[in-house]
Amino acid sequence: MSSYPLVHKNLNPREAITDALFRVLIGFDENDILMFNSGFADDDVSFVMNGNVTQGLDTIRTQLLSHVGPLDTTHMVSGIRIALDDGTDTAKLTATSMN
C-alpha cells in the first residue's frame, strides 16, 4: 500500500497532469508500484530520456522502474510544460528531472 494518496480531487486538467508526473517520480523514489502506476491513464505511453525512447508502460516498468526503484533516489523536477488542447484526452508533457 502506498503511503501517499494516489489521487487528489478537484484538480484542473493541467494540475492533474502535473500531479501524475509527481506520482511517477514518487513511485521511482519510494519503489512504490501502486504510486507509479497511478501516474498513467493507460499503457499507451512513452518515456524519453537523453534521446532514448522507452515505449509502453510494461516496458517502462521493466526497463526503468525495476532498476531505479530499489535505489536510494530523490528526483526533483522543473521546467514542466504541458501541451493540452481543450476537450482532448491526450497531452504532451516535457520536464527536466534530476536526482
Side-chain angles (χ1 to χ4, degrees):
M1 180 185 316
S2 181
S3 59
Y4 301 94
L6 295 181
V7 177
H8 289 290
K9 297 180 181 179
N10 302 320
L11 299 177
N12 69 44
R14 289 181 189 282
E15 292 169 335
I17 292 167
T18 303
D19 183 65
L21 171 64
F22 289 135
R23 285 183 275 139
V24 169
L25 294 176
I26 291 169
F28 273 121
D29 293 338
E30 302 288 328
N31 199 20
D32 184 337
I33 190 73
L34 291 175
M35 181 64 72
F36 182 83
N37 287 342
S38 76
F40 298 95
D42 62 34
D43 293 339
D44 184 21
V45 296
S46 61
F47 186 91
V48 182
M49 182 170 58
N50 298 328
N52 299 315
V53 178
T54 306
Q55 193 72 37
L57 187 53
D58 287 335
T59 306
I60 292 170
R61 272 193 225 103
T62 322
Q63 293 183 2
L64 301 175
L65 181 63
S66 66
H67 296 290
V68 175
L71 301 174
D72 184 13
T73 60
T74 301
H75 285 83
M76 296 168 282
V77 67
S78 65
I80 299 170
R81 302 226 18 184
I82 299 167
L84 173 68
D85 292 329
D86 289 338
T88 64
D89 62 356
T90 302
K92 182 173 183 177
L93 179 144
T94 58
T96 300
S97 179
M98 296 178 63
N99 70 350

